[in-house]
Amino acid sequence: MGIKPPPSLPIKLLICLVGTGGMIGQLLLLREFFILGTGNELVIGIVLSNWLLLEAVGSLGGGFLGKHVRRTWFLFVLLYVAYLLILPIALFFSRDIIIRLFQVLPGEGVGYFPLFIATCLILLIPVLLHGAHFPISAQIMKRFTPLHNPEGSAYFYETLGTLLAGILFTFVLARWDNIFTVCLVIAIFQLVILGVGGYFLTSRRSMLLFGAAALLLAGYAVPLANYLHETSLIRQWYGKVPVHYSHSYHGNIMVLEEGKEHHFYYDGRPFLSVPYPEIDAIHDFVHFTLGTHPQPEKGLIMGGAHGPFMREMLQHPWHSIIYTEIDPALIRIMDDYFPPSLYEELQDPRLERVYKDGRLYLARTDEQFDYIALGFIEPDTLQTNRYFTHDFFQLVKNRLDEDGLFAFSLPGSYQYLPPALRELNATIHATLHEVFPHVKVIPGELNIFFASEKDITLCADNIASHLEDRQVESDFIHPSHLQFRLSPSRKQWFYSMIRGYGETLNRDFLPRGFYHASQHWQQQFSPTAGRIQQRIEQVPFLAILGVLAGGGLLWLWGTSSMQKKKQAHLPVIIGTTGILGMVFDLVVIFIFQCLYGYVYHMIGLLMGVFMFGAFAGSRWSIPKSKDYNILPLLRKTEGALLISLLFIYLLAHIFSQFMEVIPPFLSIVSFIALSFCLGFLIGAQFPLATRLFRERGRHSSQTAGVLYASDLFGGWAGGLAFSLVFFPFYGLGRTLLILALIKSITFISLLLTQTRGKT
Amino acid sequence: MENIPKKLIIICLIMTVAVVTIMNFSVGDRDDHISAITRATPTADDPGLTKEARFYEALDDNYVQCQLCFRECEIADGQKGFCGSRKNEEGVLYSLVYGVPSAVHIDPIEKEPQHHFLPGTQILCLGTAGCNFRWKFCHNWHLSQRTLEEIGYFHDLPPEEVIEIAKARNVPSISFTYNEPTVFYEYMYDVAEAAQKEDINVVFHSNASMNPEPLRKLMEHVDSVTIDLKGFNQHYYRSISQGDLNVVLENLKIIRESGAWLEVVNLVVPTLNDDPEEIRQMARWIKENLGAHTPLHFSRFSPSYQLTSLSPTPVDTLEKARDIALEEGLLFISIGNVPGHTHNSTFCPECNEMLIDRHHFTVRAVNIENGSCTSCGYDVPGVWE
């Protein structure tokens, strides 16, 4: 009575910052695990799925605490501070958790299982703390504001914070090289706001002092961030200090210095050492492919070819060579660490560096080339796989002269090709052959692929003669070496090895090349996991559809016969929406990566917009859920989800086919719109289902619990299955088809459900 | 049911059918492009229990103890040994890889590496599945760290056919390499015995972990050996490969005593075995026990198998290792896996002239005549003709 309520702005701002902190933390940890997983995008699925699950558990824990702890403001502050303190610690240990936990050797890689365990452990405390915030925020909102829907408001402001974090991260923070600077700057900002906001809310001067103390800490933030950054990198890189560490649009670039040598790493994996690279592989590739070409004059080289590779290229009498990279930032950074002599040689006027993604360049250029080659890249990430797809090969063909030559290499062996490598080589061979009538291979540690519209003659004399005419100096191209590499028996052995493999072509949205490369990686670390993967592969796709359809029909029959428990199908509907929710989030990320290759930079924005879309959908449906008859509305959202699957498929292919004409700005806007729309549909369904469930007699808390659990479990399982199995193996089309089948069944179940009053 | 929006149902069903049709149409399985590719001769059928093993002892309860290598695995009925290539079937130990090599190729002998044994010639190389060590940087892990079942690929190649191939292809030497030949001892032994009768040289590349008796017996038919001495630290051997340095050192002495040509390879892995003091101790031990003329190859590590994120060995480290070995009095020290490096070639310890001009696996010139340096007449140890 008579006491003026505190202003609501501070609490709104604080809750908004809870969302911001959560999203920033998620993105920073995601990137660290991405590097630990050496750039394999499937790690994104593992991290997001585990994050979702832990956030949910945290939320349940927060709800419990909120009921039993009376000092909610204190609890809010405690969680707020605890999260901000624990995040840098989690980031610090994320860099070497694999080394400590699994006792791996310096530089030892790991498979999916250790990564899964490591993500669970690192995410555990920060995500539980962050998840616990939501119910406490709702209580705080209720306490400090007169709003009649505090949960909804808390949700709104937290999601708004998430969106703002996505934007802030993408346009500002993503390029900050030191993740601890990002983390501490955000933390100090949040603590200051907490102090000031807390003062306005509680009128306690101690809060102001708290804010002032946080502000004073700002002076120590940069040195502390530098210390944490350097120390954690030393722990991660077995005592070595990187001389360069940065985040580009496409990935993480690191340079280690040892004596006179520099080792270049991309997304945690070494790819080049100067001045002693894998020079034999470079000589073989460059001089075999160019020696096969009668007169290369205009060339295009894309990816993994900077430095010694390009120096060898320049020995040939070109008129011009255009060089692009998968990550254009690499070119500039590597230049800084090349020995002066090499750097000078690369200043050749015939060499034009184009600081653009190679595929995008190829799609948009009008130039024609008589030689196009990929440097030393493999399709072991979605980012690089897009250089080995049918769609890409078609682009190459369009830009290659009729008698031009296209060349690239894939991992091989002089001794034996394990099944995954046979699949990889056979798949790419078949894909290439689909586009080019003539394909040849020189097998070895690196299998060198040649493709042309005209017949290709791989002949030792021919190569030697061309190299001699061009006065190319190479200690490697010796008659005995040519004989060894071009041996007919080795060629026959290679073809016998890949025969019967590679039944499906590698396409942008059916990344079989990536799948087999990941499979090979997986088999290095866990033969058991590799065998499980092989078993999964052997299951016919139609059998999966049949089992799902059969199971769905049985379920439909079962639920329709349960006249008194019709609401029993709602958890399943929500569970499948949970699957779709996570899959949609990942689908947008993966499609973007398959097409443009810089999701490393854009992921914050895509995720933030998706979550905001989910929020907007729920805000749209909450008022409608109060209507008497919500079943038709639920059916509409279910139908819309079904249609959206087709929409995703069509949109992805439109972008793939018309990459050369769609302006970059429009692509980004379209993906943002897609994220928003998909999030909207997912978000719209939950309140409607909750309402229907409650309407059918279930107690409110039970309603929320059952549906929430279904939603989360669906999201977690769907995220993992989609990332690790469905998308890489079945590709976009078949994955969406599986989802379409599942959603069709739940849609039919909704159609069969009678509206209230008619039972 | 009259409340159901009929139009919506129809639209959704049509869309679903469209999704199904378009997606199935677009996935498109591959045409038969591979049809033109040469057929493989090997098959992936299980070869079964291929040959009774040698060097084992029957124990109680159908257990057996394999006595081929230092591990001396006690193997229960139906189980395999540590190497995955020897199986106890009702109290009898079988080799699972006899006559079924998974890799058969003709390589330059420099690839072993063998620098003082018929330089510039070719070798017929055979490798099967399995290994009795567990190095995490094994270059041939596809073969060595897998069983034959896991590999699922082999050639049906009995010893007499191996000899036929070598003769037909005019290859002067047969080499057992790629994976650890100890695990296919019986096959190696039979081929070696047959090769010796046909005047074909026998070479093998091993981790030197056999028991003395089988090793001595084998050495009766062997002309040259390359041994991986991965480091000079028992802890390193035990913790990283589950091996035993002492066994390796004893076997090196046995090989030296046998009279066969011997070369030693040390793969220098950054942070794991690049301690200069250990390299010095190793060089000293080699000189004292195997002789100063034993060729020692310091090989450069490059990311392989499970060590995918470890950067390659700095060449500076290899050069320092070579300097240390020279200081300790070894005469023939080369640097491997650094194509183009000067010390990939062999130099005369007397006059410092180049004896063998080698570039990676290619021999460009041999300045040795009748076993002597053409420049100063120094007798170069090795097998040259």
Side-chain angles (χ1 to χ4, degrees):
Chain A
M1 291 288 287
I3 298 172
K4 193 179 168 188
S8 60
L9 181 65
I11 191 63
K12 290 175 183 170
L13 186 59
L14 285 174
I15 293 173
C16 185
L17 287 178
V18 168
T20 306
M23 185 64 165
I24 298 280
Q26 187 175 25
L27 292 169
L28 293 176
L29 284 163
L30 189 63
R31 279 183 159 199
E32 287 305 308
F33 281 109
F34 188 69
I35 297 165
L36 277 183
T38 58
N40 184 329
E41 292 87 349
L42 304 188
V43 172
I44 296 172
I46 296 176
V47 174
L48 293 188
S49 301
N50 287 335
W51 186 288
L52 177 78
L53 194 69
L54 290 169
E55 181 98 6
V57 174
S59 179
L60 290 173
F64 178 81
L65 279 177
K67 277 182 192 165
H68 294 86
V69 177
R70 295 184 66 185
R71 298 171 68 191
T72 44
W73 169 249
F74 174 74
L75 192 60
F76 179 82
V77 173
L78 189 71
L79 286 171
Y80 202 98
V81 175
Y83 173 76
L84 294 176
L85 288 179
I86 208 78
L87 184 60
I89 296 173
L91 284 167
F92 185 87
F93 286 109
S94 69
R95 287 187 166 167
D96 70 339
I97 185 171
I98 300 275
I99 297 171
R100 311 285 159 204
L101 198 64
F102 297 98
Q103 301 287 306
V104 299
L105 296 176
E108 186 176 341
V110 288
Y112 291 137
F113 181 70
L115 275 170
F116 180 82
I117 299 294
T119 53
C120 287
L121 290 175
I122 287 293
L123 299 182
L124 184 68
I125 300 176
V127 183
L128 286 179
L129 286 172
H130 187 261
H133 252 120
F134 177 69
I136 307 295
S137 299
Q139 287 199 18
I140 291 287
M141 187 65 101
K142 193 174 179 180
R143 179 177 153 190
F144 288 111
T145 67
L147 299 171
H148 65 274
N149 182 5
E151 291 89 355
S153 298
Y155 183 32
F156 171 74
Y157 288 107
E158 195 178 325
T159 313
L160 184 64
T162 303
L163 174 67
L164 292 174
I167 295 168
L168 182 70
F169 190 84
T170 303
F171 294 105
V172 182
L173 304 176
R175 298 298 301 274
W176 288 19
D177 297 335
N178 185 340
I179 52 166
F180 294 97
T181 310
V182 176
C183 185
L184 293 181
V185 164
I186 294 291
I188 287 169
F189 177 72
Q190 288 194 240
L191 290 173
V192 171
I193 297 292
L194 177 66
V196 177
Y199 171 73
F200 281 108
L201 288 169
T202 63
S203 303
R204 288 180 190 157
R205 287 188 181 169
S206 57
M207 292 306 298
L208 266 186
L209 286 174
F210 177 85
L215 199 57
L216 283 175
L217 279 176
Y220 297 96
V222 172
L224 179 62
N226 288 340
Y227 171 78
L228 291 172
H229 181 59
E230 200 167 292
T231 314
S232 56
L233 283 178
I234 288 172
R235 287 163 65 98
Q236 184 178 8
W237 295 104
Y238 37 94
K240 294 174 187 171
V241 189
V243 290
H244 178 91
Y245 189 90
S246 64
H247 302 287
S248 70
Y249 278 90
H250 294 72
N252 173 266
I253 301 167
M254 186 179 77
V255 186
L256 285 180
E257 187 177 62
E258 281 188 282
K260 290 172 274 182
E261 290 184 37
H262 287 102
H263 307 294
F264 296 94
Y265 281 69
Y266 196 71
D267 288 338
R269 202 171 345 168
F271 67 94
L272 179 70
S273 296
V274 287
Y276 300 105
E278 303 261 349
I279 195 73
D280 50 329
I282 292 172
H283 275 253
D284 277 9
F285 182 85
V286 171
H287 300 312
F288 283 167
T289 58
L290 287 173
T292 302
H293 196 296
Q295 197 177 0
E297 290 182 346
K298 188 168 182 183
L300 170 66
I301 320 297
M302 288 172 282
H306 201 26
F309 190 109
M310 196 51 74
R311 178 171 57 194
E312 288 309 313
M313 279 273 163
L314 289 168
Q315 280 209 59
H316 291 261
W318 298 98
H319 287 167
S320 66
I321 315 180
I322 291 174
Y323 170 49
T324 69
E325 256 302 341
I326 291 169
D327 185 343
L330 271 172
I331 303 176
R332 288 195 177 95
I333 291 164
M334 289 168 79
D335 273 348
D336 291 343
Y337 295 95
F338 282 158
S341 58
L342 175 59
Y343 180 79
E344 286 301 317
E345 285 179 68
L346 297 176
Q347 306 311 307
D348 191 307
R350 295 171 300 163
L351 173 63
E352 183 190 347
R353 299 157 191 220
V354 176
Y355 296 93
K356 254 188 198 171
D357 167 59
R359 178 162 173 173
L360 208 60
Y361 172 80
L362 195 65
R364 295 191 176 152
T365 185
D366 295 326
E367 307 267 354
Q368 285 293 122
F369 303 91
D370 55 26
Y371 175 88
I372 297 179
L374 302 176
F376 290 153
I377 56 170
E378 298 170 19
D380 52 0
T381 62
L382 289 176
Q383 185 188 49
T384 48
N385 184 66
R386 66 206 177 93
Y387 284 82
F388 295 87
T389 60
H390 184 274
D391 318 68
F392 175 76
F393 292 156
Q394 194 61 54
L395 276 179
V396 170
K397 188 181 177 185
N398 294 344
R399 292 282 157 255
L400 196 64
D401 290 346
E402 201 184 338
D403 55 354
L405 185 70
F406 173 48
F408 59 85
S409 63
L410 285 177
S413 169
Y414 280 124
Q415 290 85 37
Y416 163 79
L417 283 177
L421 278 190
R422 284 180 232 169
E423 286 282 13
L424 174 64
N425 280 278
T427 299
I428 303 300
H429 188 285
T431 308
L432 193 61
H433 210 313
E434 179 82 4
V435 179
F436 290 95
H438 300 283
V439 174
K440 290 202 172 162
V441 181
I442 298 180
E445 287 293 324
L446 280 179
N447 295 323
I448 304 172
F449 282 71
F450 300 73
S452 180
E453 287 197 72
K454 294 271 177 73
D455 193 19
I456 304 159
T457 311
L458 288 183
C459 163
D461 291 343
N462 215 17
I463 294 172
S465 142
H466 281 147
L467 297 181
E468 198 180 331
D469 292 349
R470 295 172 203 166
Q471 296 178 320
V472 170
E473 290 177 12
S474 173
D475 289 329
F476 292 86
I477 310 301
H478 188 271
S480 67
H481 183 65
L482 282 168
Q483 188 190 352
F484 172 62
R485 290 302 309 266
L486 295 171
S487 139
S489 63
R490 197 170 289 279
K491 185 176 143 196
Q492 191 180 359
W493 166 79
F494 172 77
Y495 281 116
S496 76
M497 272 280 181
I498 66 168
R499 187 179 170 276
Y501 288 87
E503 290 184 350
T504 306
L505 300 183
N506 187 36
R507 296 179 186 276
D508 279 351
F509 303 121
L510 180 58
R512 277 298 174 87
F514 166 64
Y515 175 79
H516 295 308
S518 314
Q519 196 182 26
H520 181 237
W521 176 267
Q522 187 61 23
Q523 284 173 355
Q524 278 170 252
F525 301 104
S526 169
T528 311
R531 276 196 290 276
I532 293 169
Q533 246 177 345
Q534 277 176 332
R535 290 267 188 278
I536 294 171
E537 277 177 36
Q538 286 161 3
V539 180
F541 183 66
L542 280 177
I544 294 177
L545 290 184
V547 167
L548 283 174
L553 287 173
L554 277 175
W555 176 74
L556 279 175
W557 177 76
T559 49
S560 65
S561 67
M562 294 163 72
Q563 287 299 319
K564 291 179 183 175
K565 294 184 179 177
K566 288 191 184 67
Q567 69 275 27
H569 62 311
L570 286 176
V572 176
I573 292 170
I574 287 298
T576 54
T577 304
I579 294 174
L580 250 66
M582 180 54 85
V583 172
F584 279 174
D585 201 2
L586 290 168
V587 134
V588 175
I589 290 169
F590 287 177
I591 292 175
F592 190 87
Q593 185 74 335
C594 285
L595 290 174
Y596 304 107
Y598 63 102
V599 85
Y600 190 74
H601 185 80
M602 290 294 291
I603 193 166
L605 191 59
L606 295 174
M607 281 168 56
V609 170
F610 182 85
M611 290 173 80
F612 194 74
F615 163 76
S618 70
R619 294 293 285 184
W620 173 81
S621 70
I622 285 170
K624 296 185 166 42
S625 71
K626 290 170 189 157
D627 291 350
Y628 175 75
N629 199 349
I630 57 171
L631 189 60
L633 203 55
L634 193 58
R635 286 177 185 145
K636 280 180 189 167
T637 59
E638 192 74 353
L641 278 172
L642 205 49
I643 293 167
S644 69
L645 293 168
L646 179 65
F647 183 69
I648 292 171
Y649 185 82
L650 293 176
L651 200 70
H653 282 82
I654 287 168
F655 275 98
S656 171
Q657 295 304 312
F658 299 102
M659 190 182 271
E660 63 271 32
V661 290
I662 299 175
F665 177 74
L666 184 61
S667 326
I668 291 170
V669 170
S670 306
F671 270 86
I672 290 170
L674 179 67
S675 281
F676 181 85
C677 293
L678 295 176
F680 186 93
L681 287 173
I682 295 297
Q685 206 174 49
F686 191 78
L688 297 174
T690 312
R691 177 71 185 172
L692 190 66
F693 204 55
R694 194 185 293 167
E695 184 181 284
R696 302 284 167 131
R698 291 290 173 103
H699 185 264
S700 170
S701 62
Q702 192 187 356
T703 308
V706 171
L707 293 187
Y708 194 42
S710 311
D711 184 34
L712 290 172
F713 181 75
W716 178 75
L720 288 178
F722 173 78
S723 314
L724 300 180
V725 182
F726 289 113
F727 185 76
F729 185 66
Y730 292 117
L732 182 69
R734 289 187 177 189
T735 301
L736 294 179
L737 188 58
I738 289 171
L739 295 173
L741 180 64
I742 292 170
K743 264 300 167 197
S744 301
I745 292 163
T746 55
F747 180 56
I748 292 168
S749 85
L750 273 180
L751 295 181
L752 294 174
T753 303
Q754 291 175 336
T755 51
R756 197 171 61 166
K758 301 287 178 188
T759 50
Chain B
M1 293 290 281
E2 57 268 39
N3 284 343
I4 297 171
K6 296 270 172 19
K7 284 181 186 171
L8 182 65
I9 296 170
I10 292 164
I11 290 169
C12 289
L13 286 175
I14 289 170
M15 286 295 184
T16 308
V17 171
V19 169
V20 172
T21 314
I22 290 173
M23 287 172 187
N24 261 336
F25 178 73
S26 67
V27 165
D29 283 339
R30 193 204 61 156
D31 292 334
D32 190 18
H33 296 297
I34 306 294
S35 60
I37 290 169
T38 321
R39 284 185 174 277
T41 46
T43 61
D45 301 325
D46 185 356
L49 307 172
T50 52
K51 182 89 170 177
E52 184 175 355
R54 295 162 205 170
F55 302 101
Y56 77 97
E57 187 183 341
L59 304 174
D60 293 340
D61 300 327
N62 269 354
Y63 268 74
V64 295
Q65 184 178 39
C66 179
Q67 292 171 340
L68 180 60
C69 86
F70 76 104
R71 290 193 186 284
E72 303 201 336
C73 300
E74 286 190 10
I75 309 167
D77 187 11
Q79 300 298 307
K80 290 176 190 163
F82 183 88
C83 62
S85 297
R86 299 166 85 76
K87 187 178 182 185
N88 175 3
E89 198 67 34
E90 296 176 353
V92 179
L93 187 65
Y94 290 93
S95 164
L96 300 177
V97 288
Y98 187 93
V100 285
S102 293
V104 182
H105 296 287
I106 293 173
D107 289 343
I109 196 165
E110 281 67 28
K111 206 161 165 277
E112 279 304 298
Q114 280 272 319
H115 283 187
H116 289 233
F117 191 86
L118 303 178
T121 61
Q122 290 185 317
I123 43 176
L124 174 61
C125 298
L126 304 171
T128 65
C131 184
N132 56 348
F133 279 14
R134 293 289 181 266
W135 295 109
K136 289 186 173 182
F137 42 75
C138 180
H139 191 69
N140 292 330
W141 67 271
H142 310 101
L143 292 167
S144 69
Q145 303 304 313
R146 297 289 178 266
T147 63
L148 187 62
E149 283 167 311
E150 287 167 336
I151 289 175
Y153 181 94
F154 59 85
H155 302 257
D156 189 1
L157 204 64
E160 56 277 12
E161 284 190 30
V162 176
I163 306 299
E164 287 308 313
I165 292 173
K167 283 161 69 178
R169 302 293 292 267
N170 204 19
V171 178
S173 312
I174 294 170
S175 176
F176 304 98
T177 183
Y178 301 145
N179 68 322
E180 173 50 44
T182 303
V183 307
F184 59 94
Y185 180 89
E186 292 77 11
Y187 184 47
M188 171 168 59
Y189 186 92
D190 289 356
V191 174
E193 195 178 35
Q196 197 177 40
K197 287 176 190 161
E198 297 288 339
D199 281 338
I200 297 170
N201 298 301
V202 174
V203 179
F204 74 90
H205 185 149
S206 167
N207 60 23
S209 60
M210 264 181 234
N211 273 336
E213 191 192 342
L215 179 60
R216 285 200 176 94
K217 212 165 161 45
L218 176 70
M219 291 311 297
E220 291 169 11
H221 308 290
V222 171
D223 300 282
S224 185
V225 184
T226 303
I227 294 295
D228 283 326
L229 181 55
K230 298 282 190 191
F232 210 70
N233 180 324
Q234 180 69 300
H235 175 72
Y236 175 64
Y237 257 89
R238 287 238 164 102
S239 61
I240 299 180
S241 76
Q242 301 177 46
D244 188 328
L245 174 64
N246 295 328
V247 171
V248 177
L249 298 181
E250 285 310 307
N251 280 338
L252 279 165
K253 289 185 204 168
I254 292 172
I255 294 166
R256 168 56 74 219
E257 286 161 11
S258 74
W261 182 249
L262 170 65
E263 305 201 11
V264 177
V265 182
N266 176 233
L267 180 73
V268 184
V269 186
T271 73
L272 296 182
N273 69 346
D274 56 354
D275 178 12
E277 190 47 39
E278 278 179 21
I279 289 170
R280 185 175 297 283
Q281 287 171 16
M282 179 175 67
R284 193 173 296 163
W285 186 92
I286 291 173
K287 187 189 173 194
E288 287 170 4
N289 294 278
L290 308 178
H293 64 282
T294 308
L296 173 61
H297 308 263
F298 288 111
S299 273
R300 189 190 200 197
F301 162 86
S302 59
S304 190
Y305 188 27
Q306 297 186 337
L307 293 194
T308 48
S309 293
L310 188 62
S311 45
T313 319
V315 172
D316 195 37
T317 306
L318 298 168
E319 287 169 346
K320 280 179 184 155
R322 185 176 179 276
D323 290 344
I324 291 169
L326 278 174
E327 283 166 24
E328 289 302 320
L330 293 184
L331 301 174
F332 300 101
I333 308 142
S334 68
I335 289 177
N337 286 351
V338 188
H341 195 283
T342 311
H343 293 293
N344 192 206
S345 294
T346 304
F347 291 86
C348 176
E350 191 68 30
C351 66
N352 270 336
E353 286 298 311
M354 195 179 277
L355 290 172
I356 304 171
D357 182 2
R358 196 180 292 107
H359 195 92
H360 204 26
F361 303 142
T362 301
V363 170
R364 298 188 292 199
V366 180
N367 300 316
I368 297 170
E369 274 181 19
N370 300 322
S372 301
C373 169
T374 52
S375 176
C376 69
Y378 176 83
D379 282 339
V380 186
V383 177
W384 309 109
E385 288 168 2

